[in-house]
Amino acid sequence: MSLTDVQIAVLRAIEAARAVSPVEQSWAVGEGYAVPLIEGDMGLTSAGQEMLASNAGV
């Protein structure tokens, strides 16, 4: 699956522990790329990490 530049930016923001909007959080969790963590933080799943790695040059 190919991601848009915006979706890649969302995953990068989650990876860097930067805030993302509730809509972006919902998208990432719904696609299985992220999970909610303690105190409202988000973390990437292995699928999210793999997707970032496969889009590293984007």
Side-chain angles (χ1 to χ4, degrees):
M1 176 182 170
S2 181
L3 298 180
T4 67
D5 291 344
V6 171
Q7 291 168 324
I8 293 167
V10 169
L11 295 182
R12 287 184 178 145
I14 293 170
E15 179 183 46
R18 293 191 309 265
V20 295
S21 76
V23 170
E24 293 166 333
Q25 288 178 15
S26 182
W27 167 80
V29 170
E31 292 295 320
Y33 297 138
V35 292
L37 302 174
I38 300 170
E39 298 178 14
D41 290 336
M42 299 288 295
L44 291 180
T45 62
S46 58
Q49 294 169 353
E50 290 170 15
M51 190 57 70
L52 269 185
S54 69
N55 286 280
V58 177

